[in-house]
Amino acid sequence: MSNDLLDIDPIDLQFPFELKKQISSSLYLANKTDNYVAFKVKTTNPKKYCVRPNTGVVLPRSSSEVLVTMQAQKEAPADMQCKDKFLLQCVVASPGATAKEVTPEMFSKEAGHRVEETKLRVVYVDPPRPPSPVREGSEEGSSPRASVSDSANVSDFTAAPRFSVDRLEPQENSSEARALITRLTEEKNSALQLNKKLQQELEQLKRESKRSQSGGGIPFMYVLLVGLIGLILGYIMKRT
């Protein structure tokens, strides 16, 4: 798709849809004139997408990339259809213009500026999958396309945010793993403390036995304590 100033590729923004995952799609703008061309990207759903850069300048006979990122979605849309749309506005800028010099007034038709506008649809496609050894009976090569007309008014679009705000929620299995590690660590520390205490009592018992026993014979309490320590050490080795 193209207008008098820029060639735009692709004609639709395609996102390989996956739940709870940020997905990005690139938009390439090629300046086919000898002028500096300023552009601005708008969307009908600014909270759902972020665009970098959302405004800029394409130098004469050169190209620029615009990265559109869709925030992580918690629910899949019905029939994988998306009604979101993007609007790309472009206008001839002054020679040597930079992205910092791009202002909203440059895209105002009321001010007499000649603004080129191109509408882009959002299309959800299936994420890439590893090849299956089983040959499917029917082909499913066609991707669902957004059933949205190009009749949307310019007033329906809002400037796309430059940066992402939302964050991915931690997965439940990660939380469970951290909780299990914490519990095992606490049990290990408790067992080590108990082992240390028993060793101290064993040393004290040895000293008392030497004072009370004049010769041979091992006290029954000493044998019992040694066996208990062995069981605790075995438990620690299994848990770690």
Side-chain angles (χ1 to χ4, degrees):
M1 182 180 292
S2 63
N3 52 44
D4 292 340
L5 301 177
L6 299 176
D7 283 329
I8 304 168
D9 184 53
I11 59 175
D12 293 328
L13 285 170
Q14 296 188 356
F15 293 90
F17 188 87
E18 293 185 60
L19 289 175
K20 298 182 180 181
K21 183 177 181 181
Q22 284 188 342
I23 309 168
S24 297
S25 180
S26 293
L27 187 67
Y28 298 95
L29 311 178
N31 186 352
K32 54 185 180 181
T33 73
D34 294 324
N35 300 312
Y36 283 71
V37 176
F39 68 87
K40 182 177 183 178
V41 181
K42 294 183 176 182
T43 179
T44 57
N45 197 342
K47 294 182 178 181
K48 185 177 178 180
Y49 304 91
C50 68
V51 180
R52 288 177 289 191
N54 62 347
T55 59
V57 175
V58 185
L59 302 182
R61 305 295 175 180
S62 63
S63 60
S64 296
E65 178 183 5
V66 176
L67 186 65
V68 182
T69 301
M70 181 178 69
Q71 303 304 312
Q73 301 298 299
K74 298 180 180 180
E75 297 180 356
D79 301 326
M80 292 295 287
Q81 300 294 319
C82 183
K83 297 182 179 180
D84 300 333
K85 296 180 290 294
F86 282 82
L87 178 68
L88 176 69
Q89 297 178 306
C90 56
V91 64
V92 175
S94 303
T98 64
K100 294 182 179 180
E101 298 172 350
V102 177
T103 62
E105 290 74 17
M106 297 174 63
F107 304 94
S108 173
K109 294 180 181 180
E110 289 75 10
H113 298 148
R114 181 181 176 183
V115 182
E116 296 282 348
E117 295 179 340
T118 303
K119 295 175 183 178
L120 304 172
R121 298 183 299 178
V122 174
V123 177
Y124 292 152
V125 297
D126 292 331
R129 298 178 180 178
S132 174
V134 179
R135 185 173 181 179
E136 306 235 350
S138 60
E139 295 183 357
E140 299 180 356
S142 59
S143 301
R145 299 179 64 85
S147 56
V148 179
S149 65
D150 293 337
S151 60
N153 297 323
V154 176
S155 59
D156 296 334
F157 294 88
T158 305
R162 189 183 302 267
F163 300 105
S164 171
V165 177
D166 296 338
R167 294 292 183 269
L168 289 176
E169 296 181 355
Q171 298 183 356
E172 294 181 358
N173 57 355
S174 299
S175 301
E176 293 177 357
R178 287 194 296 268
L180 178 59
I181 293 174
T182 301
R183 182 169 59 83
L184 292 177
T185 302
E186 292 176 351
E187 291 181 359
K188 177 182 176 182
N189 292 335
S190 299
L192 291 175
Q193 293 177 358
L194 178 59
N195 179 50
K196 183 177 179 181
K197 182 178 180 180
L198 290 175
Q199 287 181 344
Q200 293 175 351
E201 294 180 356
L202 177 59
E203 292 297 329
Q204 182 178 358
L205 185 59
K206 285 181 179 180
R207 291 193 295 268
E208 294 177 354
S209 297
K210 289 181 180 179
R211 290 196 300 265
S212 60
Q213 299 292 334
S214 58
I218 300 176
F220 174 78
M221 184 60 69
Y222 173 78
V223 176
L224 180 62
L225 200 53
V226 171
L228 182 58
I229 292 175
L231 290 175
I232 292 175
L233 291 177
Y235 172 80
I236 294 173
M237 294 299 294
K238 289 181 180 180
R239 301 297 290 185
T240 57

